[in-house]
Amino acid sequence: MYITKSAYRALILMLLLLGAPLAAGATMGPKAQVPETTFDFGEIFEDRELTHTFVIKNIGDALLEIKDIDSDCACTAAESDRRIPPGGQGRIKLTIAPYSVLRKFAKKTKVFFNDPDQREVVLTMKGEAKPFIEIQPSHIIRFRGKPGEGLKGQVRFTSHLPDPWEITGFTTNIPQYIDVVVKAEKPGRVYVVEVRNKRQEAGNYAGVINLSTTSKQRPRLIMRVFAELSISSSESP
């Protein structure tokens, strides 16, 4: 009866796992076993370096080689043991750069072996990154309407930091056009920045508000203001 090569290898592997002796000259070659292919960091803070080490086992009877490692993002760096002896194990250490740890993420890395039955495996690192400072609804305020209508906008800043946090002050490059008020909704945790238009003429303007904070992670926050002020044709002189 003819036995295919893959069936023969499967039989040899089963005999090895059962502890049965192999016939003289029998061989199965390198055999990669990866107990864990996905690691979930869970809920973490954004903008921090993340590292995890995956274990690679060689349950074959020949040297297992890691031929190549290819990450789907330049933000992921890899260190690994390239040669793993029979019965041994090696490691692949993957590190995600801080700038890429944002919102929900899933970084995939392909690992290529000289294992004839498993040429490659995909390792995944995932998680959900919370911001240190949550900004709602947006860091941008837009004014559209007539001059003198009392146009205003609010931005709420909520800290997820373990220690109390404060907005200590602000500067703006358009003080002639806007009034800014910072209110502590929940001191040490939630602050509201209210911006009011005070320009009385039609026209457009744009500017920046820089907020200073007590956080080492976020010592400065930036808001942007855009205004389009106009009057109807029936009101124009």
Side-chain angles (χ1 to χ4, degrees):
M1 179 179 65
Y2 176 74
I3 301 178
T4 64
K5 186 176 180 180
S6 60
Y8 177 74
R9 289 183 182 277
L11 176 62
I12 295 298
L13 176 59
M14 183 179 67
L15 292 174
L16 282 174
L17 293 176
L18 293 175
L22 294 178
T27 181
M28 63 179 298
K31 188 71 177 176
Q33 184 184 71
V34 187
E36 174 192 51
T37 58
T38 299
F39 183 79
D40 190 347
F41 290 98
E43 191 174 81
I44 55 171
F45 282 125
E46 67 181 4
D47 197 23
R48 53 170 290 194
E49 184 177 273
L50 297 177
T51 298
H52 183 69
T53 299
F54 293 89
V55 173
I56 309 296
K57 296 181 179 181
N58 181 6
I59 59 173
D61 60 3
L63 183 68
L64 175 68
E65 297 182 33
I66 296 177
K67 308 293 287 184
D68 194 17
I69 299 175
D70 183 21
S71 298
D72 66 356
C73 174
C75 61
T76 304
E79 299 176 23
S80 74
D81 299 313
R82 292 286 180 161
R83 297 161 66 86
I84 304 171
Q89 68 178 36
R91 62 175 185 83
I92 297 178
K93 178 182 176 183
L94 299 178
T95 301
I96 307 175
Y99 63 82
S100 194
V101 180
L102 297 169
R103 298 176 290 277
K104 283 189 176 181
F105 63 91
K107 306 298 182 183
K108 299 182 183 295
T109 299
K110 290 182 179 180
V111 182
F112 298 89
F113 302 110
N114 67 332
D115 178 349
D117 296 323
Q118 184 176 218
R119 295 290 185 181
E120 70 178 72
V121 69
V122 177
L123 305 178
T124 302
M125 295 191 297
K126 64 180 183 178
E128 183 170 1
K130 293 170 51 178
F132 289 112
I133 307 297
E134 187 175 354
I135 304 173
Q136 295 176 319
S138 167
H139 72 290
I140 296 175
I141 287 181
R142 297 184 184 275
F143 295 137
R144 291 189 178 94
K146 300 176 183 179
E149 275 190 333
L151 301 173
K152 65 179 181 179
Q154 287 187 342
V155 177
R156 178 172 281 99
F157 296 87
T158 302
S159 170
H160 295 294
L161 296 165
D163 299 321
W165 165 85
E166 296 179 5
I167 293 178
T168 56
F170 70 88
T171 60
T172 178
N173 63 343
I174 50 171
Q176 71 276 27
Y177 295 145
I178 61 172
D179 286 325
V180 181
V181 177
V182 179
K183 303 175 182 179
E185 186 174 282
K186 292 182 181 179
R189 190 63 58 191
V190 182
Y191 285 80
V192 174
V193 178
E194 183 176 278
V195 183
R196 291 177 178 267
N197 170 66
K198 65 180 184 181
R199 176 169 170 162
Q200 298 300 309
E201 304 85 19
N204 300 339
Y205 65 82
V208 174
I209 302 171
N210 289 294
L211 303 171
S212 301
T213 86
T214 57
S215 167
K216 291 182 180 179
Q217 292 88 351
R218 287 289 183 273
R220 188 181 71 152
L221 297 166
I222 296 176
M223 295 174 56
R224 300 188 183 277
V225 180
F226 299 92
E228 298 175 13
L229 309 178
S230 61
I231 57 177
S232 64
S233 57
S234 60
E235 296 176 296
S236 49

